[in-house]
Amino acid sequence: MRRLALAVIALAVLLPPTLQAQEWSAEQKEVWAEVERNLVAFHAGDMETAYESVHPDFVFWNSNNSVPGDRSAAWELDRIFFQELGGMWHTALFTPLTILIYDDFAVINFYVRGLLQEPGGVPAFTTIRWLTFTTIRWLNVWKKESGGWMVVANYGDFEGTQ
C-alpha cells in the first residue's frame, strides 16, 4: 500500500506546472467535465456509465490495434479486459493538453498516466511487477448532441510501460 501511495504522489509531482495552470473557457470546461466523467467511470471499470457518453457511431483506434473499430468492438474489448481477464486500474491521472471547440464539435488532446494491473496479475505487495506504469496520449473528437457531449472518435497512443 505504501508503494502505491508513493506512486500516486510521484505522478502528481511529475505533472508539468504549465498544464496545471492553464485557463479554460466555460465551454472548454463543460466538455472536459464530460470527458473526465467518462474517463473516471472507464478507469474504475464502470463500463455502463462510461459508455453513456459514447456515440452510437463511435470509431476507436489506438497503437495496439492495426485497424479502427466501432462501438460494439470497443465495448467487447473493454468487457473482456475488465470482466473476463480481470484487468484493473489502481489509479489514473487525466491531463488535458488542448481543447478546441467548433460549433458542436470538440477536439481534445490529453494524456492518461496511471498504474495498471495487467489481466491475470496477482497482487503481491512484496513486488510491484504486477503493476505497469502506463502513459497513453489521446486525441478525442466529441460532438454536442441533444444538449450533451458524446465521444464520436478517438486515437490512443500507448507509450508503453516503465
Side-chain angles (χ1 to χ4, degrees), residues 62-84:
N62 62 55
S63 57
N64 289 336
N65 295 296
S66 57
V67 296
D70 62 11
R71 187 182 196 276
S72 63
W75 173 269
E76 187 61 15
L77 291 171
D78 291 338
R79 184 192 66 76
I80 290 169
F81 175 81
F82 285 113
Q83 296 172 1
E84 291 184 22

Side-chain angles (χ1 to χ4, degrees), residues 12-155:
V13 170
L14 293 174
L15 288 175
T18 55
L19 296 176
Q20 294 173 336
Q22 189 161 356
E23 291 293 322
W24 303 107
S25 71
E27 197 170 29
Q28 288 170 316
K29 288 177 185 177
E30 175 190 334
V31 72
W32 179 251
E34 185 57 31
V35 172
E36 197 166 34
R37 185 186 79 77
N38 173 277
L39 292 170
V40 167
F42 177 80
H43 286 83
D46 181 359
M47 289 179 45
E48 294 291 336
T49 300
Y51 273 76
E52 288 174 0
S53 58
V54 176
H55 197 277
D57 297 327
F58 176 68
V59 175
F60 80 96
W61 196 9
N62 62 55
S63 57
N64 289 336
N65 295 296
S66 57
V67 296
D70 62 11
R71 187 182 196 276
S72 63
W75 173 269
E76 187 61 15
L77 291 171
D78 291 338
R79 184 192 66 76
I80 290 169
F81 175 81
F82 285 113
Q83 296 172 1
E84 291 184 22
L85 300 177
M88 67 185 299
W89 286 87
H90 287 277
T91 186
L93 300 170
F94 318 115
T95 305
L97 300 173
T98 61
I99 303 172
L100 305 172
I101 298 177
Y102 304 97
D103 298 321
D104 61 348
F105 276 90
V107 177
I108 302 125
N109 290 288
F110 62 94
Y111 64 91
V112 174
R113 293 188 296 176
L115 291 173
L116 171 67
Q117 180 175 334
E118 296 291 344
V122 177
F125 292 101
T126 58
T127 180
I128 200 164
R129 286 182 302 185
W130 58 279
L131 291 174
T132 56
F133 179 69
T134 302
T135 301
I136 310 165
R137 291 182 294 252
W138 286 105
L139 179 131
N140 275 197
V141 178
W142 288 67
K143 182 177 194 255
K144 194 166 199 173
E145 196 170 273
S146 303
W149 289 96
M150 298 189 79
V151 62
V152 293
N154 73 22
Y155 180 79

